[in-house]
Amino acid sequence: MGDHVTEIVIFTVLFLLVSGMGFVAARWRAPNDMAHLDEWGLGGRSFGGWITWFLVGGDLYTAYTFVAVPALLFGAGAAGFFAVPYTIIIYPLVFLILVRLWSVSHRHGFVTPADFVRSRFQSPTLALLIAITGIVATMPYIALQLVGIEAVLKTMGVTGDSTIARHLPIIIAFAILAAYTYQSGLRAPALIAFVKDTLIYIVILVAIIYLPYKLGGWGTIFDAADAKFDASPNPNDGILLNAGNQWQYITLALGSALALFLYPHSLTGVLASRNRDVIKRNMSALPAYSLLLGLIALLGFMAIAAGVKPLPGAKEGSVDSNTVVPLLFDQQFPSWFTGIAFAAIGIGALVPAAIMSIAAANLFTRNIYKEYLKRDATPAQEANVSKITSLVVKVGAVACIVFLDPQFSIDLQLIGGVIILQTLPAVALGIYTRWFHRGGLIAGWVAGMGLGTWMLYEIPNAATGRAHFGGSAFPLEKFAFIDSKTTVYVGLVAVAVNLLVAALVTLALRAGKVPDGGDDTQPDDYFADEGDPRVSVPTQPAGNTDPDLDPAPSPKV
Amino acid sequence: MSDPEVPADGAPAVARAKDKSPWNWLLFVPILVPLITPLFNHDSPRLFGFPTFYWLQLLFIVLGVSTTTVVYQMTKKRR
């Protein structure tokens, strides 16, 4: 690792700096009483426009995105650019749906999407399914953040012979992360996000001006990519889409956007904001990150033009395409700037990993611990359980990477996107309508999960020689009744079937007069705003005597 | 826009009137346009060396920003 000393020193210094910030964050905008889930898990529900912009931006655009999206363009070309339409259409969707979810959560003290479903459909079972889906989908996502850091460490030559030696830097990094998340809660990633995003913006601005200049201009870069894809035997690559992958592009962009805001960690960022205006204004400001992501994606083509050869992967003969961007930086930039760029990616992994572990911990606390283990838990006990769960979640994520093939986490992440989409009828449509029967939603969830998992299992990957879980592009010809070369995104097909089943079962249950749950929310809950006079009053309608449904009062209004 | 002072059947009617605005429909434009691949799946014309596929999709970001800004401004006044 001799020739990487400058990079390693700068990386380590910046990493330690933000770790210090993580611990100090507990005292930033400090509450009177940190022992409350609203404080530890949602930063007091008090973040204004700027903090929300950095926090949600740092949350949605993860280190893995920054490493994997250019790797996709490097490998497949235009198909990888789906990340741009994906991150454009998510904001109007959030505008339409999450603003209402913020309001109803504000009034009822909801912390997780499953909290909302619990009250909206009066169904602890459905809420449990939503909570488990959220936890299962989030875990591999956290593990993937480690893949982002690992790609950087690998490029810097920080590797060892034994399993433990190779992973020691990551174990240390995550131990530090776990410690300050435990202490500071959501305030830690919120504060670190400022540093992370500033570094990323600087690195990318420099990269998109300096690299094209060095490589002979944008035209040359695109032509180099075009020449590479023309020469490859794969029919589905190229700098434009073709008949075979256009539908995959469309369905993947739409499906990913729908999935992204159903992930519990997106909601955590949104619920932490102070009022509806903060969220709405951010929907106009957050697309700055989409522009950043679009430009980062093009680093994949720059790597082609610069002749980057990815480092070997974990298995013999495979390549780790996630190393193309770190390698491009290493090859093109002076080593001090490469150090900054690597630190940006490494720190970039910490922010989402912290928020995701908080979101998963909140789901466990609110919808499993409080629902099934200790119904009379106090807010202080809730906060404590969440803190400990967040540690467990991170240990699990590290174990996934250290003891299992990282490919396993990537597969799980692929499945995660598909299964989190199956909460769409209950959570996203539930925001607008109470029409579905709770039994119908459960049936739809089962159908969507089953079909989605089967479809993923059936997808082979010719490039890696795997027979199953080879990607998310499902060839329609696998359905016996369709004859077409077209591929589509599994998640969108599965959620369509989910919706169909939910609707049919709803009609059947209504016809059979099977009792449905009630609804603890009222129509005007969906536009309540900061300063709402009814926020701190338990708002359960008459007839509901279950003390467990009483929302935790919001301390700061 | 209906007058929120004259609810038909109590508070819920006010609620719906307050939250609903025809401007919200505008949000479907930036949801749908980036999904119409025939619009942008071309190499030429190139802009600064970028094929249409890339520069036009990056331009859709501006479309998204303007739409959410307009809807935010127009629905804010109606409070």
Side-chain angles (χ1 to χ4, degrees):
Chain A
M1 60 168 92
D3 48 339
H4 293 285
V5 173
T6 320
E7 293 168 14
I8 295 170
V9 168
I10 292 178
F11 181 89
T12 313
V13 167
L14 285 170
F15 194 91
L16 290 177
L17 176 82
V18 298
S19 303
M21 285 177 68
F23 286 105
V24 173
R27 268 177 268 158
W28 176 52
R29 304 164 64 93
N32 298 326
D33 178 18
M34 190 71 162
H36 193 297
L37 201 52
D38 273 0
E39 290 301 335
W40 183 83
L42 291 178
R45 300 186 190 247
S46 66
F47 290 157
W50 279 103
I51 306 176
T52 302
W53 188 73
F54 279 110
L55 181 69
V56 176
D59 185 14
L60 301 187
Y61 300 83
T62 70
Y64 179 67
T65 318
F66 287 153
V67 167
V69 170
L72 264 178
L73 265 86
F74 180 86
F81 211 62
F82 85 93
V84 170
Y86 152 37
T87 54
I88 294 173
I89 60 186
I90 184 159
Y91 297 112
L93 281 171
V94 170
F95 205 111
L96 287 169
I97 295 170
L98 286 195
V99 173
R100 289 168 67 98
L101 188 53
W102 182 91
S103 288
V104 70
S105 304
H106 187 63
R107 188 170 271 180
H108 289 264
F110 299 148
V111 180
T112 69
D115 281 350
F116 162 71
V117 169
R118 168 82 164 79
S119 286
R120 177 67 149 166
F121 296 97
Q122 287 188 350
S123 172
T125 314
L126 187 58
L128 179 68
L129 292 179
I130 303 291
I132 291 175
T133 313
I135 294 171
V136 171
T138 307
M139 288 281 290
Y141 215 156
I142 302 172
L144 276 194
Q145 300 311 315
L146 293 163
V147 173
I149 304 186
E150 236 180 7
V152 168
L153 291 174
K154 219 182 207 176
T155 310
M156 290 196 293
V158 185
T159 52
D161 292 329
S162 72
T163 308
I164 296 298
R166 193 164 63 239
H167 293 290
L168 194 61
I170 281 196
I171 296 172
I172 296 171
F174 249 50
I176 298 173
L177 169 72
Y180 65 66
T181 310
Y182 180 88
Q183 186 185 333
S184 310
L186 195 63
R187 284 179 172 79
L191 196 56
I192 293 174
F194 282 89
V195 180
K196 172 222 158 186
D197 293 342
T198 309
L199 285 178
I200 295 228
Y201 275 102
I202 293 172
V203 168
I204 296 308
L205 281 178
V206 171
I208 59 159
I209 294 166
Y210 178 70
L211 291 179
Y213 161 78
K214 236 186 138 180
L215 296 170
W218 285 103
T220 319
I221 291 170
F222 283 108
D223 290 340
D226 201 19
K228 178 200 160 178
F229 296 129
D230 276 349
S232 93
N234 185 345
N236 274 335
D237 62 11
I239 62 166
L240 294 179
L241 300 172
N242 58 43
N245 60 12
Q246 277 202 38
W247 276 106
Q248 165 69 7
Y249 190 84
I250 296 166
T251 50
L252 184 58
L254 180 61
S256 306
L258 292 171
L260 184 59
F261 75 85
L262 290 169
Y263 270 107
H265 64 267
S266 320
L267 188 62
T268 303
V270 168
L271 289 189
S273 52
R274 191 170 55 215
N275 57 34
R276 286 166 66 100
D277 267 14
V278 165
I279 306 171
K280 286 189 173 181
R281 282 202 309 270
N282 257 294
M283 293 311 114
S284 306
L286 278 166
Y289 284 95
S290 306
L291 184 62
L292 187 70
L293 179 60
L295 297 169
I296 290 174
L298 295 176
L299 291 175
F301 287 169
M302 293 186 205
I304 294 176
V308 168
K309 297 268 175 293
L311 292 176
K315 281 199 212 100
E316 283 296 308
S318 66
V319 293
D320 183 356
S321 62
N322 286 331
T323 54
V324 295
V325 167
L327 282 170
L328 176 71
F329 288 167
D330 190 44
Q331 188 182 323
Q332 300 289 330
F333 286 137
S335 52
W336 64 271
F337 193 76
T338 309
I340 294 178
F342 287 1
I345 297 176
I347 298 166
L350 302 180
V351 173
I355 304 172
M356 287 168 191
S357 66
I358 289 170
N362 288 348
L363 276 170
F364 174 80
T365 307
R366 297 279 298 193
N367 309 107
I368 295 175
Y369 171 75
K370 193 172 163 143
E371 183 79 57
Y372 294 99
L373 301 175
K374 191 167 168 55
R375 299 210 120 210
D376 55 350
T378 64
Q381 282 171 326
E382 278 185 40
N384 214 17
V385 170
S386 255
K387 289 166 87 167
I388 293 165
T389 313
S390 84
L391 292 181
V392 175
V393 166
K394 286 196 204 70
V395 172
V398 174
C400 272
I401 293 295
V402 173
F403 297 111
L404 304 171
D405 182 352
Q407 185 60 43
F408 186 67
S409 295
I410 297 172
D411 293 349
L412 280 178
Q413 152 68 2
L414 195 69
I415 301 171
V418 172
I419 69 170
I420 199 71
L421 256 181
Q422 306 315 316
T423 65
L424 179 116
V427 178
L429 294 187
I431 289 291
Y432 272 94
T433 174
R434 180 61 185 79
W435 179 78
F436 288 103
H437 191 288
R438 56 185 179 183
L441 289 171
I442 293 172
W445 180 88
V446 171
M449 293 291 259
L451 180 68
T453 314
W454 172 78
M455 286 170 81
L456 287 170
Y457 178 80
E458 285 290 313
I459 297 172
N461 188 329
T464 55
R466 289 147 51 89
H468 303 292
F469 294 116
S472 63
F474 187 81
L476 280 180
E477 59 191 356
K478 288 222 180 227
F479 285 127
F481 50 91
I482 298 175
D483 181 30
S484 163
K485 288 276 173 241
T486 300
T487 58
V488 294
Y489 177 52
V490 170
L492 215 60
V493 178
V495 77
V497 170
N498 176 341
L499 275 171
L500 187 69
V501 170
L504 291 177
V505 174
T506 296
L507 291 175
L509 292 176
R510 292 267 151 78
K513 300 220 171 0
V514 178
D516 191 0
D519 182 358
D520 292 329
T521 68
Q522 292 164 19
D524 67 339
D525 288 349
Y526 292 87
F527 67 89
D529 207 345
E530 186 187 20
D532 185 86
R534 286 171 53 194
V535 158
S536 49
V537 186
T539 51
Q540 305 312 321
N544 171 22
T545 51
D546 184 354
D548 192 43
L549 275 177
D550 276 354
S554 183
K556 275 190 191 168
V557 181
Chain B
M1 184 81 191
S2 60
D3 185 355
E5 296 303 311
V6 203
D9 53 350
V14 183
R16 270 182 231 109
K18 263 192 175 176
D19 200 31
K20 254 189 188 162
S21 162
W23 286 101
N24 282 337
W25 290 101
L26 206 57
L27 293 172
F28 285 93
V29 173
I31 293 177
L32 291 176
V33 169
L35 296 176
I36 307 172
T37 48
L39 273 183
F40 51 80
N41 195 22
H42 315 287
D43 191 312
S44 60
R46 285 197 176 198
L47 190 68
F48 306 116
F50 282 64
T52 309
F53 184 82
Y54 300 91
W55 67 257
L56 192 52
Q57 289 194 80
L58 290 174
L59 207 63
F60 288 158
I61 297 174
V62 180
L63 173 74
V65 171
S66 354
T67 319
T68 44
T69 309
V70 166
V71 174
Y72 168 65
Q73 292 298 338
M74 297 318 285
T75 51
K76 195 172 65 169
K77 282 178 197 151
R78 288 161 186 267
R79 285 266 173 87

